Amino acid sequence: MTTPTVSATGLSLSYGGTRALDDVALRLSAGVTGLLGPNGAGKTTLLRVLATAVPADRGAFTVLGHDPADAAGRQSVRRALGYLPQTPGFHPDFTAFEFVDYVAILKERTDRGARHREVRRVLDQVGLADARGKRIKKLSGGMRQRVALAAALVGDPGFVVLDEPTVGLDPEQRMRFRELIAQAGEGRTVLLSTHQTEDVAMLCHRVLVMAGGRVRFDGTPADLTDRAAGRVWSSAERDPGARAGWRTGTGTFRNLGDPPPGADLLPPTLEDGYLLTLDEADTAVTA
């Protein structure tokens, strides 16, 4: 069996009286894994724990065999990690080159010549060869996200963590960024947190769904879609027995849940399976 890039057991973390992570276990290997969940599900907290930005209250994990339980282990994890947080924290007067170079310095790349070659390499990789000298404040949102991705890829890390990287991008920018994420997932492990089910459907070989600080689903996108098989139907009016329903562009309603006899069943989507998984998680909490 292939040794996983990331292995975690029993990760738990509370903020005051709120349990942000509740006994999370996971194993991640090469490729792009999508992390779906509503606001407050614990996605960003999990990413921050795996990126060693905050410690868990309980549990343990390793990244490429390194254990962050002590200072030396944390430093080894950070050297093997590329992290694109939800808010990268750009200095607006930095140029694209200066920002990525600053991150490379933080990653302890002390040889100036070699470091600058690496900065040029990752900027070229994300399609910003001609924008190296432009100031961050002059770049579009999509270009800023590419700068942040370049910074995450400095040093060719084996584990890359991306927190909502396509938020705020227009459809064309999102498409181009998806191409970059797919390339980043070739030969390394990428954990992609997103609210966009389309990102998961197009990019990910595996998907995790979180709700209430726990992993509620772990499988392939096809498996998640199949959870809604036979549970999606069309009607002229919203079905009061549906767990969710909305009017579509054709004027009919798309309903999710347990269909009535003779219902006009529809092919399920990844989003359908995701919504039903969240609904079942809510039901389990309130039962």
Side-chain angles (χ1 to χ4, degrees):
M1 181 180 293
T2 303
T3 301
T5 305
V6 179
S7 180
T9 57
L11 294 178
S12 297
L13 177 61
S14 295
Y15 296 112
T18 301
R19 180 67 64 89
L21 296 180
D22 186 6
D23 197 30
V24 172
L26 56 82
R27 292 164 67 89
L28 302 176
S29 298
V32 182
T33 296
L35 180 61
L36 288 171
N39 290 332
K43 303 189 307 299
T44 292
T45 299
L46 175 61
L47 298 190
R48 295 184 70 202
V49 167
L50 295 179
T52 72
V54 295
D57 296 332
R58 289 187 289 108
F61 71 96
T62 60
V63 175
L64 292 167
H66 304 300
D67 185 344
D70 56 37
R74 282 192 297 278
Q75 193 63 28
S76 295
V77 169
R78 290 168 182 171
R79 291 190 184 109
L81 174 76
Y83 182 32
L84 194 167
Q86 208 166 23
T87 305
F90 295 114
H91 191 299
D93 288 322
F94 274 12
T95 64
F97 186 95
E98 288 169 341
F99 177 78
V100 179
D101 188 45
Y102 173 70
V103 173
I105 291 170
L106 294 179
K107 290 188 174 183
E108 301 180 326
R109 302 185 73 89
T110 56
D111 184 304
R112 187 171 184 273
R115 187 179 73 243
H116 284 187
R117 286 192 294 275
E118 176 66 2
V119 172
R120 287 191 291 270
R121 181 188 73 81
V122 293
L123 286 170
D124 290 353
Q125 185 177 343
V126 301
L128 291 178
D130 296 331
R132 296 174 190 159
K134 290 186 178 180
R135 297 196 183 279
I136 299 290
K137 63 185 177 184
K138 299 291 186 180
L139 299 179
S140 68
M143 294 179 77
R144 290 183 187 186
Q145 285 298 81
R146 282 193 273 164
V147 172
L149 180 60
L153 296 177
V154 164
D156 196 24
F159 179 41
V160 176
V161 173
L162 307 176
D163 193 358
E164 300 286 354
T166 62
V167 166
L169 303 186
D170 64 36
E172 182 180 3
Q173 291 171 332
R174 187 175 296 123
M175 177 192 70
R176 296 186 182 281
F177 209 81
R178 284 172 181 158
E179 293 175 348
L180 296 174
I181 294 172
Q183 292 170 10
E186 296 174 1
R188 61 162 62 89
T189 300
V190 176
L191 181 58
L192 166 68
S193 174
T194 180
H195 283 100
Q196 304 287 339
T197 54
E198 314 96 274
D199 289 347
V200 173
M202 294 183 181
L203 288 170
C204 301
H205 74 289
R206 179 180 169 202
V207 56
L208 307 173
V209 177
M210 287 192 71
R214 302 180 65 185
V215 175
R216 307 290 179 163
F217 173 86
D218 181 353
T220 68
D223 291 337
L224 184 55
T225 300
D226 285 345
R227 298 195 80 180
R231 305 185 68 193
V232 187
W233 70 100
S234 177
S235 62
E237 301 290 340
R238 187 190 187 282
D239 192 318
R243 295 194 173 189
W246 59 91
R247 188 187 296 275
T248 69
T250 64
T252 60
F253 279 76
R254 186 180 185 89
N255 303 283
L256 304 182
D258 299 317
D264 181 15
L265 295 180
L266 299 173
T269 66
L270 182 73
E271 184 175 54
D272 295 330
Y274 167 59
L275 291 174
L276 286 171
T277 298
L278 293 184
D279 182 76
E280 290 165 2
D282 288 340
T283 301
V285 169
T286 57

